[in-house]
């Protein structure tokens, strides 16, 4: 039975008893982190890049004042001493060493992972009591943070009036924990929770995406709306004169429904391919990040060099009896199913060592694929990682 960061709780037991059901606190889930960055560097990322960043000031110009990045230096120099929090999403793009933390959770498919977020909080800093609609692992990196939850079957969803964020007005905690460096708290979706810093602290959040049906439908229709299946126009040749011009005839409604449903039916054959592309789409690369990695960007595979994924790049594949599709950053590559082992290697690893690459590149098709990924900056030359927080423990 595999345990990893869950201590005495096996991964199988976690998935059956906790995942999407109830919280779990694990003391010492990770070795005490030795970070290669500090709060100043985190603020620098919020100042100098396009990273999604927010400042939440509990007692600002108005209660729970929210500021969106990118920021100016004055946004930080004017902060009060306490009761504020800096949140930076997609932090793995800018501090790729933090991807090491993901290794502990890859018993859940990669496509489910949304992003890594770091919150740095001053003493008593918080984002208020709230509810998330996704699973999250909260890993304490520095300092202490006090967490409380309300796991009662029904809770008061009334939100405070005024704040841009939805903060629960009548939060009533039923359990609480104080996390120290290396501790981890798992919270399932739709569970009211509240975290408050005990002194300055830094917390890493690993959020998991759970697309809503409306979100999927909207994105799919946006994509297929320009395809040939939806180019057909309404036609009513030889129609009969209509006495009441205000009536929409049932025959016209039926014809319009048919155009729409025929377009959908003619597009569903490619739905799995669309889903693969959608689930691996990344955000637009930050131009400043690309510029900073200029020395790592090359046009083709260089012998005896190690490589890594471009920060934040998503890879996944689908397999049927007779086809194999690889999806990289929203682009699809069709391959013979006998390439499965090489594709699994590309998807399973975040870093690609020279000897392993040389082995899979004996296949000319795979070599051509890897050269394409390198040319597209999906894979880049390797840089040493200063952060190795996770040590695998299986028993």
């Amino acid at each position: 039975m595999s345990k990893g960061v869950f201590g005495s709780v096996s991964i199988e037991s976690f998935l059956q008893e906790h995942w999407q059901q109830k919280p779990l606190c694990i003391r010492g889930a990770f070795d005490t982190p030795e970070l290669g960055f500090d709060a100043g560097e985190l603020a620098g990322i919020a100042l100098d890049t396009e990273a999604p960043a927010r400042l939440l000031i509990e007692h600002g110009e108005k209660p729970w004042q929210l500021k969106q990045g990118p920021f100016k230096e004055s946004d930080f120099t004017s902060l009060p001493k306490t009761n504020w929090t800096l949140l930076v999403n997609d932090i793995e793009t800018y501090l790729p060493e933090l991807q090491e933390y993901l290794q502990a959770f890859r018993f859940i498919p990669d496509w489910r992972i949304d992003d890594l977020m770091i919150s740095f909080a001053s003493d008593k800093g918080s984002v208020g009591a709230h509810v998330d609609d996704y699973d999250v692992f909260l890993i304490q990196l520095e300092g202490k943070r006090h967490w409380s939850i309300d796991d009662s079957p029904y809770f008061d969803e009334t939100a405070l009036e005024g704040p841009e964020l939805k903060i629960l007005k009548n939060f009533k905690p039923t359990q609480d924990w104080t996390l120290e460096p290396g501790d981890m708290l798992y919270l399932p979706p739709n569970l009211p929770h509240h975290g408050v810093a005990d002194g300055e602290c830094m917390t890493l959040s690993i959020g998991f995406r759970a697309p809503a049906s409306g979100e999927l439908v909207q994105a799919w229709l946006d994509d297929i709306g320009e395809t040939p299946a939806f180019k057909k126009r309404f036609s009513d040749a030889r129609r009969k004169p209509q006495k009441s011009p205000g009536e929409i005839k049932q025959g016209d409604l039926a014809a319009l429904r048919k155009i729409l449903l025929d377009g959908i039916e003619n597009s569903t054959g490619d739905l799995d391919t669309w889903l693969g592309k959608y689930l691996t789409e990344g955000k637009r690369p930050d131009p400043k990040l690309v510029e900073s990695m200029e020395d790592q960007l090359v046009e083709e595979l260089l012998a005896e060099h190690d490589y890594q994924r471009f920060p934040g790049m998503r890879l996944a594949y689908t397999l049927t009896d007779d086809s194999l599709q690889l999806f990289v950053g929203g682009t699809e590559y069709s391959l013979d199913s006998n390439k499965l082992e090489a594709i699994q290697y590309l998807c399973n690893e975040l870093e690609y060592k020279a000897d392993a690459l040389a082995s899979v590149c004996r296949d000319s098709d795979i070599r051509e694929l890897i050269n394409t990924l390198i040319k597209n900056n999906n894979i880049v030359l390797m840089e040493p990682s200063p952060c190795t927080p996770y040590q695998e423990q299986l028993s």
Side-chain angles (χ1 to χ4, degrees):
M1 301 286 282
S2 51
K3 295 183 174 62
V5 294
F6 298 106
S8 61
V9 179
S10 70
I11 288 173
E12 293 80 2
S13 294
F14 169 76
L15 289 173
Q16 294 304 312
E17 299 173 14
H18 292 274
W19 180 248
Q20 300 215 319
Q21 298 168 72
K22 61 183 181 180
L24 177 65
C25 180
I26 299 293
R27 300 295 182 184
F30 294 86
D31 292 338
T32 302
E34 295 183 7
L35 303 178
F37 62 93
D38 58 18
E41 184 171 350
L42 195 63
I45 292 172
L47 282 167
D48 300 330
T49 73
E50 296 183 5
R54 293 164 289 165
L55 272 170
L56 189 63
I57 308 165
E58 185 172 354
H59 308 296
E61 295 175 2
K62 56 184 178 180
W64 298 104
Q65 180 186 4
L66 178 66
K67 292 184 175 182
Q68 302 278 1
F71 298 113
K72 299 175 293 186
E73 286 191 21
S74 58
D75 291 315
F76 289 101
T77 57
S78 62
L79 286 169
K81 290 184 177 180
T82 64
N83 297 83
W84 60 268
T85 300
L86 169 64
L87 306 163
V88 183
N89 285 87
D90 299 335
I91 193 62
E92 73 278 12
T93 301
Y94 301 91
L95 299 172
E97 62 267 25
L98 290 175
Q99 291 181 113
E100 295 287 344
Y101 282 96
L102 293 175
Q103 298 303 315
F105 308 103
R106 294 186 77 195
F107 56 88
I108 299 167
D110 288 349
W111 73 262
R112 283 281 267 123
I113 296 170
D114 188 7
D115 74 342
L116 303 185
M117 181 188 77
I118 278 191
S119 64
F120 173 81
S122 66
D123 185 31
K124 299 181 179 61
S126 168
V127 297
H130 64 283
V131 173
D132 294 320
D133 54 10
Y134 53 83
D135 305 85
V136 63
F137 291 97
L138 301 160
I139 302 166
Q140 196 64 22
L141 298 181
E142 286 185 344
K144 298 180 182 180
R145 192 185 293 265
H146 183 80
W147 289 98
S148 53
I149 65 166
D150 177 3
D151 61 358
S152 55
Y154 305 99
F155 65 91
D156 188 341
E157 298 185 39
T158 305
L160 290 174
E161 294 184 8
E164 295 178 52
L165 297 179
K166 184 177 180 179
I167 297 174
L168 298 176
K169 181 179 181 179
N170 302 311
F171 176 69
K172 296 179 179 179
T174 57
Q175 288 191 67
D176 68 296
W177 306 266
T178 296
L179 266 57
E180 300 188 9
D183 293 344
M184 177 179 74
L185 178 63
Y186 163 72
L187 297 176
N190 304 311
L191 179 73
H193 57 280
H194 188 197
V196 181
D198 182 1
E200 291 186 351
C201 78
M202 196 180 300
T203 305
L204 178 68
S205 303
I206 303 178
F208 287 76
R209 66 198 304 198
S213 57
E215 173 189 339
L216 290 172
V217 167
Q218 183 64 57
W220 182 54
L221 290 177
D222 287 346
D223 193 63
I224 65 175
E226 298 302 318
T227 62
F230 283 90
K231 294 299 183 183
K232 185 176 181 181
R233 288 186 174 274
F234 175 78
S235 174
D236 58 354
R238 299 186 177 85
R239 74 175 300 143
K240 295 179 180 179
Q242 186 166 318
K243 292 182 178 180
S244 177
E247 180 185 5
I248 305 174
K249 289 287 189 179
Q250 290 300 310
D252 290 338
L253 289 172
L256 290 166
R257 282 198 305 269
K258 188 174 187 307
I259 291 174
L260 179 61
L261 295 176
D262 283 352
I264 292 174
E265 185 176 351
N266 292 334
S267 300
T268 53
D270 295 325
L271 185 56
D272 287 350
T273 298
W274 178 85
L275 283 168
K277 294 160 80 172
Y278 175 79
L279 294 173
T280 58
E281 279 181 350
K283 304 171 179 72
R284 185 178 68 87
D286 187 332
K288 292 184 179 179
L289 179 64
V290 175
E291 182 180 350
S292 71
M293 297 181 66
E294 186 174 352
D295 292 342
Q296 294 176 253
L297 308 180
V298 293
E299 290 294 316
E300 61 182 10
L301 183 66
L302 301 177
E304 300 181 0
H305 282 74
D306 297 337
Y307 285 78
Q308 64 180 350
R309 294 189 197 181
F310 189 90
M313 186 58 57
R314 300 177 185 270
L315 277 75
Y317 70 90
T318 59
L319 180 67
T320 63
D321 291 339
D322 56 0
S323 69
L324 172 62
Q325 289 180 299
L326 171 68
F327 302 95
V328 182
T331 299
E332 179 257 338
Y333 301 90
S334 295
L335 301 120
D336 291 335
S337 56
N338 62 8
K339 314 295 183 186
L340 177 61
E341 185 175 350
I343 297 307
Q344 287 178 328
Y345 165 71
L346 290 175
C347 292
N348 291 347
E349 304 298 325
L350 300 177
E351 301 173 0
Y352 309 110
K353 300 301 182 182
D355 54 350
L357 278 175
S359 178
V360 298
C361 283
R362 290 171 186 160
D363 184 309
S364 60
D365 291 338
I366 296 300
R367 185 180 183 89
E368 181 180 351
L369 169 66
I370 290 176
N371 274 325
T372 298
L373 299 182
I374 290 172
K375 187 174 182 179
N376 292 340
N377 297 336
N378 305 134
I379 296 176
V380 299
L381 287 170
M382 182 69 189
E383 276 193 345
S385 171
C387 184
T388 54
Y390 175 60
Q391 297 177 350
E392 189 174 30
Q393 301 170 1
L394 297 179
S395 60

